[in-house]
DNA sequence: TCAAAAGTGTTTGTCCTACACCCATGT
DNA sequence: ACATGGGTGTAGGACAAACACTTTTGA
């Protein structure tokens, strides 16, 4: 049995049907909630124009062309959906339950991505693409609700907040802006004093000489990310 | 272009060729090094009996049948290779670089598994299956060296050591045995006193009334895992 | 002059580490 | 008796939370 399997010559020759590969992407951005005004996580969904699940909302994605890298396919569907480029893109998980799609056996390699808030404001929103608050989603096609749940969990428990928060901001930013991102993702208030210290001691920021004036209080200093600090990465596929 | 892609009817109809899905598994066990006698990580590899990479060692795996779950396929190849059942099995990553296999486009969903030490001692070792020390591997087929590197990194940086160490041990064990597992995985000595406290305060152990006699020192108490403690899990696919 | 947010200082408690020390057993 | 590892106690340092306080601006 072992020998049979290991020496099998080609995937085309074995009796049972093959699984089909798809790539989907969970795309997050941060923008003010309609009511509270507080920044919350939003994501774009695509309305299905065919069966199965015609009319339901689903994650952006598509079949994997044999000549395209996985991450490239994720970035492409992201671009096609939002007309944006990802500031952060990472493989999330591969979902392959037999019955997750009614007819075909579909295995989906799912990526998660972050895009900048300001840019996402003016992103394309058509008849078949709409942004939703991440914690108020309608029932989605396939197992996509579960996938978004998992992506949210991963975002919130990711240790290297530094790179993540960076992905939501511009090149320079104040500590208050950075703290606002952390608070939105973690869904809890952070002490400004302690936040400052923990960020500064992490060494991932470079302080500029610029300040932001115009508010009726002391001007805040602008900071920039230290790209050299991004080297503390796992030796794995993330690189 | 977006519309074209999203409304595409079937993966069978688009022009370019499809990718092929495979499942591979990195199987770890703990056993004494031949020289030092210290416990180290070992894993089984399979010799390839066909091109590409004929004669090279590779991870156990095979094509994914359309009617088999991903994790089930991983467990099956594990069983076929080692005649063992996994005590721990988790999806690691999906590797899909275009050129990772010379001819076909192969996308491999890779799992990592842990098996018990004592059991692995008497595991099947044939002409085409052999156990290797995880940090002294020969050049492997495809990108399998990179995959093993990543699996090792994940094993060592996994936060919930509790379940992992458990997978290498029997139902009851002494704290010294548990500590030996942690030391082998982390490759550093741990203070017995502090190790005891950190484990006990984690609440994942149940102390039994049994003790291990026979050694020329105070008998060590046997512990058992608290399955209820395993509930502190992510809400994701791991469950 | 006052409100508001930037930024600093200080206290307190918690966790981790190192290491001294006692306990129980086989030889 | 004594060597050996099981098991407990405790002091010191690192770090994080809480919060009082000073600084600098616009109104």
């Amino acid at each position: 049995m072992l020998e049979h399997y290991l020496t099998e010559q080609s995937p085309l020759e074995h009796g049972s049907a093959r699984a089909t590969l798809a790539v989907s992407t969970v795309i997050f951005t941060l923008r003010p909630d309609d009511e509270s005004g507080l920044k919350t996580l939003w994501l774009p969904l695509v309305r299905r124009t065919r069966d199965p699940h015609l009319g339901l909302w689903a994650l952006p994605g598509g079949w994997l062309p044999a000549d395209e890298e996985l991450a490239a396919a994720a970035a492409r569907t992201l671009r096609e959906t939002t007309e944006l480029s990802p500031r952060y893109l990472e493989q999330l998980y591969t979902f392959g339950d037999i019955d997750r799609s009614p007819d075909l056996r579909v295995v989906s390699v799912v990526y998660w991505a972050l895009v900048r808030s300001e840019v996402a404001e003016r992103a394309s929103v058509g008849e078949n693409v709409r942004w939703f608050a991440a914690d108020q989603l309608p029932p989605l096609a396939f197992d996509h609700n579960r996938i978004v749940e998992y992506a949210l969990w991963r975002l919130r428990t990711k240790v290297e907040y530094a790179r993540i928060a960076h992905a939501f901001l511009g090149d320079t930013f104040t500590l208050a802006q950075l703290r606002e991102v952390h608070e939105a993702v973690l869904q809890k208030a952070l002490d400004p004093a302690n936040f400052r210290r923990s960020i500064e001691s992490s060494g991932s920021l470079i302080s500029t000489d610029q300040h932001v004036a115009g508010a009726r209080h002391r001007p805040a200093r602008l900071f920039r990310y230290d790209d050299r600090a991004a080297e503390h990465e796992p030796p794995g596929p993330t690189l």
Side-chain angles (χ1 to χ4, degrees), chain A:
Chain A
M1 188 163 163
L2 169 64
E3 285 305 307
H4 162 73
Y5 203 74
L6 292 173
T7 60
E8 196 160 12
Q9 303 179 11
S10 148
L12 304 171
E13 295 179 19
H14 63 157
S16 52
R18 297 169 60 189
T20 304
L21 255 172
V23 175
S24 295
T25 311
V26 184
I27 305 163
F28 291 115
T29 197
L30 222 47
R31 72 183 206 197
D33 187 272
D34 289 338
E35 300 148 16
S36 70
L38 292 174
K39 288 208 172 173
T40 53
L41 291 165
W42 291 68
L43 51 86
L45 297 174
V46 177
R47 194 198 294 274
R48 288 191 56 81
T49 57
R50 326 198 135 258
D51 269 324
H53 301 305
L54 188 149
L56 286 186
W57 296 95
L59 292 171
W63 309 117
L64 176 72
D67 56 357
E68 189 176 39
E69 298 289 357
L70 292 171
R76 177 175 50 75
T77 58
L78 188 155
R79 199 167 52 247
E80 289 168 352
T81 309
T82 65
E83 295 172 3
L84 297 174
S85 292
R87 301 261 299 174
Y88 183 89
L89 182 66
E90 188 188 63
Q91 190 181 304
L92 176 68
Y93 195 78
T94 297
F95 295 82
D97 286 2
I98 291 175
D99 60 353
R100 58 188 295 271
S101 181
D103 299 323
L104 285 169
R105 169 73 186 280
V106 180
V107 172
S108 289
V109 182
V110 178
Y111 280 73
W112 65 292
L114 307 178
V115 298
R116 291 236 293 255
S117 334
E118 322 84 66
V119 193
E121 302 276 349
R122 55 173 168 74
S124 85
V125 178
E127 175 73 15
N128 293 322
V129 178
R130 191 184 301 171
W131 288 80
F132 293 81
D135 48 2
Q136 295 169 33
L137 296 183
L140 305 183
F142 309 107
D143 52 358
H144 289 189
N145 284 99
R146 176 175 169 237
I147 294 178
V148 172
E149 284 298 310
Y150 185 54
L152 272 171
W153 175 82
R154 184 98 142 222
L155 168 62
R156 288 181 172 137
T157 57
K158 185 86 183 177
V159 271
E160 26 163 5
Y161 292 125
R163 282 185 62 195
I164 288 177
H166 180 199
F168 285 124
L169 295 170
D171 288 329
T172 60
F173 45 86
T174 67
L175 285 177
Q177 290 171 327
L178 184 61
R179 179 164 49 84
E180 187 182 23
V181 172
H182 284 242
E183 289 177 336
V185 171
L186 299 177
Q187 294 183 300
K188 66 172 181 181
L190 298 175
D191 183 305
N194 297 330
F195 181 78
R196 161 181 298 270
R197 266 184 295 260
S198 72
I199 290 289
E200 283 183 335
S201 70
S202 79
S204 59
L205 289 195
I206 298 173
S207 123
T208 72
D209 291 336
Q210 303 169 355
H211 294 260
V212 175
R216 63 178 181 288
H217 58 75
R218 174 171 172 177
R221 182 184 289 271
L222 283 172
F223 290 83
R224 177 186 308 283
Y225 262 93
D226 186 351
D227 293 332
R228 293 174 295 120
E231 307 306 321
H232 307 296
E233 293 292 310
T238 319
L239 288 181

